[in-house]
Amino acid sequence: MTLPINDLKRHNAPLDPELRSAIGRVLERGYYVLGPENKAFEQEFAAYLGTPDAVGVGNGTDALELALRAAGVGPGREVVTVANAGMYASTAIRATGATPVYVDVRADTLLVDPDLLAAAITPATGAIVVTHLYGRMADVERLVPVAHQRGIPVIEDCAQAHGARRQGRAAGSWGDLAAFSFYPTKNLGALGDGGLVTGQDPALLARVRHLRQYGWTTQKYECREAGGRNSRLDEIQAAVLRVKLPHLDAWNQRRRAIVSLYREGLKDIGWQLPPAPAEDDVAHLCVVRPRQRDTVRAVLQEHGIGSDVHYPIPDHLQPAYADEGRPALPVTEDAARGILSLPCFPEMTNDEVATVIQACRIASQKECPK
Ligand SMILES: *Cc1c(COP(=O)(O)O)cnc(C)c1O
């Protein structure tokens, strides 16, 4: 592959000396889990987002699960969410013992449709998970009030939306709680797994803090909060994230510029393209919709260009849960058959974007007209 869909070695190389010195600092200190790096990163990330506090955890799926548990979700409850976001929220919901209830997405943005979401709320609804998919913020200014009128907590899944802002307010500061992942390919990525929960409610965040470590509250070895887990951000990852956070806005800006170049270069070939990225879109992925996805993928591959599908199997169609009732989610199902993610990472050069555009244009000529 000449141009992979992502290139983490290139991403991290310019920071190599700083990363090594941060890791060395942790090694020498001899404090490896929930120490000063974690504390400092929690504070720095909360300050960046404009939230009162943050809690470092093991990964993004745990962040969702612990947020759900802190919000009181458990067996017998339903959690309303989308089925096109890679099973992460579903995994977390099921881990609490609750049941995911899926609603369809809007065809233009592939984000949750607020009207369908409102209609899916029942007396059993324990929470809503709103996913800011592909880096684009969902319609939080409409969704959050609808949920709150019914007394239902909103958990934002910000695993693809680090640094997205609307009306100056960051993704992760709109709902009751918010989950972040620092998996290496995310807009802010560690050198391994990592996650974090933040939000506006200090009491709920305190609960997450207890739940991430066995349910200990005031002293160790004493469990006062039921439903605890072990899910902690380790010191090496926290130190790495502290090196990378100051670069996040510039990386996001470059991702937006890449999507804009794709939009310009592909505007006349009849594909559905991502919306023009504004402040509320950090272009985590550049997802296009050709006429014949698999034909296009093959042509890109011939040109040495990587691509992927995010995501090929909607949550409600996953084989492991085939015996459960399957709701009809026509937009979600149709999108899964048609979408394609193009290479989009901050280190891509304009020449590389042009190469992908050229290959896409060649591929579009090989598609049958629809
Ligand atoms: C990556 C991701 C997660 C889960 O993060 P992990 O750290 O891999 O557990 C959750 N939600 C979305 C939308 C993601 O992209």
Side-chain angles (χ1 to χ4, degrees), residues 58-62 64 85 88-89 131-133 157 159-160 180-183 186 193-195 284 311:
N59 57 66
T61 309
D62 280 359
L64 285 166
Y88 309 109
T131 310
H132 302 305
L133 195 67
D157 181 346
Q160 302 189 357
F180 284 84
S181 163
F182 306 115
Y183 183 75
K186 308 294 186 184
D193 275 315
H284 173 63
Y311 296 92

Side-chain angles (χ1 to χ4, degrees), residues 16-302:
D16 189 274
E18 278 182 85
L19 291 171
R20 280 176 199 275
S21 98
I23 293 167
R25 190 170 74 221
V26 174
L27 197 56
E28 278 153 38
R29 189 184 289 123
Y31 199 150
Y32 304 121
V33 171
L34 292 191
E37 301 291 340
N38 175 72
K39 187 80 254 165
F41 178 66
E42 288 177 346
Q43 286 166 0
E44 287 159 14
F45 199 59
Y48 171 80
L49 297 173
T51 52
D53 198 2
V55 186
V57 301
N59 57 66
T61 309
D62 280 359
L64 285 166
E65 181 189 331
L66 294 172
L68 288 163
R69 286 175 186 268
V73 171
R77 305 318 303 274
E78 295 176 349
V79 178
V80 184
T81 193
V82 290
N84 69 333
M87 261 321 265
Y88 309 109
S90 296
T91 302
I93 293 163
R94 289 178 187 279
T96 69
T99 309
V101 171
Y102 299 114
V103 294
D104 216 345
V105 292
R106 288 174 40 161
D108 53 350
T109 60
L110 300 180
L111 299 171
V112 67
D113 183 324
D115 296 324
L116 296 179
L117 194 138
I121 294 173
T122 73
T125 307
I128 288 169
V129 175
V130 176
T131 310
H132 302 305
L133 195 67
Y134 307 146
R136 300 202 262 280
M137 285 180 72
D139 197 353
V140 275
E141 62 271 58
R142 269 180 72 203
L143 293 173
V144 175
V146 167
H148 285 175
Q149 272 157 25
R150 317 255 201 121
I152 294 167
V154 175
I155 294 164
E156 297 177 72
D157 181 346
C158 302
Q160 302 189 357
H162 317 66
R165 289 174 188 272
R166 184 171 299 146
Q167 297 156 20
R169 265 178 81 182
S173 70
W174 291 77
D176 298 85
L177 288 171
F180 284 84
S181 163
F182 306 115
Y183 183 75
T185 58
K186 308 294 186 184
N187 290 38
L188 179 63
L191 301 181
D193 275 315
L196 175 139
V197 182
T198 187
Q200 294 295 358
D201 183 338
L204 281 178
L205 289 171
R207 269 187 97 177
V208 174
R209 205 172 276 288
H210 306 152
L211 292 172
R212 81 169 160 188
Q213 190 160 236
Y214 321 117
W216 296 347
T217 59
T218 49
Q219 55 182 341
K220 60 181 181 176
Y221 311 132
E222 185 190 46
C223 170
R224 284 184 173 270
E225 187 90 53
R229 292 266 325 276
N230 169 22
S231 185
R232 302 175 288 217
L233 184 62
D234 76 71
E235 286 287 285
I236 287 180
Q237 301 309 336
V240 163
L241 290 165
R242 293 183 69 200
V243 170
K244 295 180 81 171
L245 178 59
H247 301 277
L248 176 59
D249 286 337
W251 287 331
N252 286 342
Q253 200 48 40
R254 177 62 190 156
R255 286 175 180 273
R256 292 184 186 104
I258 291 167
V259 169
S260 298
L261 290 170
Y262 278 131
R263 279 173 50 84
E264 179 61 27
L266 301 174
K267 67 181 177 199
D268 56 347
I269 62 170
W271 293 3
Q272 191 178 319
L273 301 176
E279 190 200 28
D280 62 356
D281 182 347
V282 290
H284 173 63
L285 293 170
C286 180
V287 176
V288 300
R289 181 98 190 249
R291 282 174 294 276
Q292 273 141 14
R293 191 253 318 274
D294 297 330
T295 306
V296 172
R297 259 201 111 171
V299 174
L300 292 181
Q301 170 121 36
E302 282 163 25

